[in-house]
Amino acid sequence: MIGWLSGCAKESTVNDGPNISEAQALARVEELIRTALTGVTPTPGLDLDPTSLADHPCIPNDGNILTEDIYVIRVYYLTGIPKERLVQEVRKIQANWEKAGHKITNTYAFDQGKLQLSGRTGDDFRLALDTVDRNSTLQILFSVGSPCFHPDKPSSTASP
């Protein structure tokens, strides 16, 4: 799932990306997460996937050469939501996203209990959600990522 999430953000490198700083991109990601999770009950625990804290270099659509552009993403396991409430709470996340004026671009397998959805904002930030079996518990894996942008300083993963 993580590869799919990061792949979504990389697709936005068709142009120079937005003129935002890393701090602005991260603040927007965090705001979108808070908005999407408003009213989810019980209030989920946010178990951060530490790999989402790393620098994420953007790869052009042709995949040949890394650019100096990066994107930020935050990936969380939403803990504490009972299995029998997963569909209801994912629908609430979907409704919150749409109520905020953003688009849901895909939903999958809601009727089978294997919930997946993705979405996008007008400024190209992306949401991805999947249900995963983690520690023998069905949980929601939730992420929001930014479009690619040129960082204020070179990324630690950029070539010297």
Side-chain angles (χ1 to χ4, degrees), residues 25-48:
L26 185 54
R28 177 82 167 126
V29 163
E30 291 172 350
E31 173 216 344
L32 290 166
I33 290 168
R34 282 190 306 276
T35 299
L37 296 179
T38 299
V40 171
T41 55
T43 302
L46 299 176
D47 188 0
L48 178 68

Side-chain angles (χ1 to χ4, degrees), residues 79-111:
T79 62
I81 300 173
K83 181 179 179 178
E84 62 274 3
R85 293 186 57 90
L86 287 177
V87 172
Q88 178 182 349
E89 300 312 315
V90 168
R91 291 276 187 214
K92 195 174 292 179
I93 291 168
Q94 178 180 357
N96 288 341
W97 190 259
E98 292 173 321
K99 183 179 177 183
H102 312 309
K103 294 193 184 300
I104 293 296
T105 55
N106 187 35
T107 60
Y108 178 74
F110 275 63
D111 58 340

Side-chain angles (χ1 to χ4, degrees), residues 2 6 9-10 22 50-59 68-75 148-149 155 157:
I2 299 297
S6 61
K10 291 176 191 174
E22 187 168 357
T51 62
S52 69
L53 297 172
D55 285 342
H56 297 281
C58 293
I59 300 172
E68 291 182 10
D69 290 350
I70 63 170
Y71 65 96
V72 295
I73 189 168
R74 288 298 177 262
V75 180
C148 293
F149 60 90
S155 167
T157 59

